[in-house]
Amino acid sequence: MRKLSIFGWLLWVLVACQPEPPVPQDPSPLQEGVFISNEGNFQWGNASLDFWDKNGDSLRSSVFQQANGYGPGDVLQSLTLHQDQAYLVVNNSQKIIEVDLETLSVNRELTGLTSPRYLTIWDSTLAFATDLYSQSIHVIDLPSLSKTSEIPFPGWGERMLKRPEGIWITNVRTTHIYLLDPTQLAIVDSLEVGLGSHSMVEDANGNIWALASGDVLDGTGGRLSRFDPTTRQIAQAWDFGEDIHPGDLHRSPDGQHLYFRSGDLYRMAISASALPDQPLVPAQGKNFYSLAIDPATGKLWAADALDFVQRGNIEVYDPAGILEFTFKAGIIPGGFVFVGE
């Protein structure tokens, strides 16, 4: 009996010490579809990247983990595509990950950032990243994927809009947006658009629209502003009223309509004289957390984060606001990036 016990113990050790089998990977390329960046829970390290395959009408879950054997880290804030590379900005892990766009295999990482949010690529050599806490914009040399300097910035930098005159940057902590000159590596102008700006779009007429959420703590409501980037003067602005905090400004493919979320999902013509008073898609108990517009079809891609613990729902609506289909993504789906259009 003793010999049998020793044999059994040795067998258990051999089995237990075997390496974990690799996560199965779908070998087909990610050619036409939608990347969904799932933030995951703060400090849980459970961020993930999904891909909705338009050709197969199916979801490929955790494609980054499938390709690399581990997840992207703690809070996947945003995803930026450039040529044949993709850049994952992982906020609480303080890093930017460069991956091959076709295979999603990691090429290299830029670490040691404070709390990066969004990445905008100016040209093949130069990129900029906003940050939550650093009071600066990170200047990044793209060929070496290294941080070369910082540009002082007054507060929480968020989304950016690349234009011929430079890069417009929103700011969650102030009432202004700011213009960065990539040749001078300096902030050269600012415009007042309301407290808590976070997203911008350019319409069919070349005007820029900026959406500010206000402040939840003091009840300051949001504001939508339109300005001509050549004159840099606010042409029109609409206030949402106290305790109304809109988010996620986007545009239709033809640039004639704006979309945003404010509990419900709204659409507004760029020629409108007032904010919309009726939603395009009523939330009806859903927790709409993020929104994007398919640049090829004009369909709305909206994420319902549910309770921020379980996997969120993705709901896809046609431009008229009719639900077409829905599916589960990862935890806290925070962004969409369309490829192959």
Side-chain angles (χ1 to χ4, degrees):
M1 292 294 292
R2 181 176 176 80
K3 290 181 179 179
L4 183 59
S5 297
I6 292 175
F7 174 77
W9 179 80
L10 288 172
L11 180 62
W12 177 85
V13 169
L14 288 172
V15 172
C17 290
Q18 293 297 313
E20 290 290 329
V23 177
Q25 183 175 355
D26 187 336
S28 58
L30 308 174
Q31 293 181 330
E32 185 176 358
V34 187
F35 282 109
I36 304 164
S37 53
N38 305 297
E39 295 178 11
N41 302 109
F42 180 64
Q43 295 187 329
W44 287 26
N46 57 353
S48 63
L49 183 67
D50 295 335
F51 184 79
W52 177 263
D53 189 338
K54 286 188 176 181
N55 294 322
D57 285 333
S58 61
L59 181 71
R60 294 167 60 175
S61 297
S62 300
V63 289
F64 179 94
Q65 185 170 359
Q66 289 181 12
N68 298 286
Y70 57 90
D74 190 358
V75 185
L76 176 52
Q77 181 62 44
S78 61
L79 175 71
T80 299
L81 307 184
H82 178 65
Q83 298 179 351
D84 57 353
Q85 310 296 330
Y87 296 87
L88 288 72
V89 181
V90 193
N91 175 257
N92 201 44
S93 291
Q94 304 174 314
K95 65 183 180 180
I96 297 174
I97 308 172
E98 180 191 79
V99 302
D100 180 274
L101 184 55
E102 183 174 347
T103 65
L104 294 187
S105 297
V106 172
N107 293 332
R108 50 193 177 168
E109 295 186 359
L110 169 57
T111 59
L113 303 175
T114 305
S115 189
R117 302 286 292 177
Y118 292 89
L119 179 75
T120 289
I121 296 172
W122 178 250
D123 57 29
S124 61
T125 64
L126 184 61
F128 300 93
T130 54
D131 198 285
L132 173 58
Y133 296 122
S134 71
Q135 298 281 311
S136 67
I137 304 299
H138 303 294
V139 181
I140 297 169
D141 176 75
L142 211 54
S144 63
L145 195 64
S146 61
K147 176 179 168 180
T148 58
S149 63
E150 291 184 347
I151 300 171
F153 190 77
W156 171 349
E158 192 70 350
R159 292 185 176 110
M160 296 172 276
L161 180 63
K162 178 180 172 180
R163 286 265 314 161
E165 68 271 13
I167 298 174
W168 291 95
I169 306 174
T170 56
N171 192 322
V172 177
R173 297 292 187 225
T174 75
T175 58
H176 287 66
I177 58 172
Y178 300 81
L179 180 61
L180 184 155
D181 185 333
T183 60
Q184 299 183 47
L185 295 183
I187 301 297
V188 296
D189 207 348
S190 66
L191 283 176
E192 186 172 359
V193 297
L195 181 61
S197 63
H198 51 75
S199 48
M200 294 173 290
V201 296
E202 182 177 348
D203 69 17
N205 299 325
N207 293 314
I208 296 177
W209 297 73
L211 185 61
S213 288
D215 190 321
V216 175
L217 296 179
D218 67 11
T220 302
R223 179 182 295 177
L224 178 64
S225 304
R226 173 173 59 84
F227 68 93
D228 182 338
T230 58
T231 63
R232 302 181 194 173
Q233 297 292 322
I234 300 295
Q236 201 164 6
W238 295 265
D239 288 319
F240 284 81
E242 290 186 10
D243 295 319
I244 300 177
H245 309 288
D248 269 330
L249 182 65
H250 296 278
R251 49 160 277 181
S252 59
D254 62 4
Q256 295 291 342
H257 287 85
L258 308 175
Y259 295 87
F260 59 88
R261 57 180 177 83
S262 183
D264 306 314
L265 305 181
Y266 289 86
R267 178 176 62 188
M268 175 181 172
I270 63 171
S271 59
S273 58
L275 294 170
D277 57 3
Q278 295 296 323
L280 177 68
V281 179
Q284 297 179 328
K286 300 182 181 72
N287 182 13
F288 286 132
Y289 182 73
S290 58
L291 173 69
I293 308 300
D294 188 326
T297 65
K299 294 179 180 180
L300 289 73
W301 285 66
D304 178 0
L306 299 173
D307 59 3
F308 296 100
V309 177
Q310 61 182 302
R311 293 171 61 197
N313 292 331
I314 305 301
E315 300 194 343
V316 181
Y317 297 86
D318 72 12
I322 305 301
L323 180 64
E324 291 195 346
F325 62 94
T326 183
F327 60 90
K328 286 282 186 185
I331 297 171
I332 314 181
F336 304 91
V337 175
F338 300 86
V339 295
E341 307 296 343

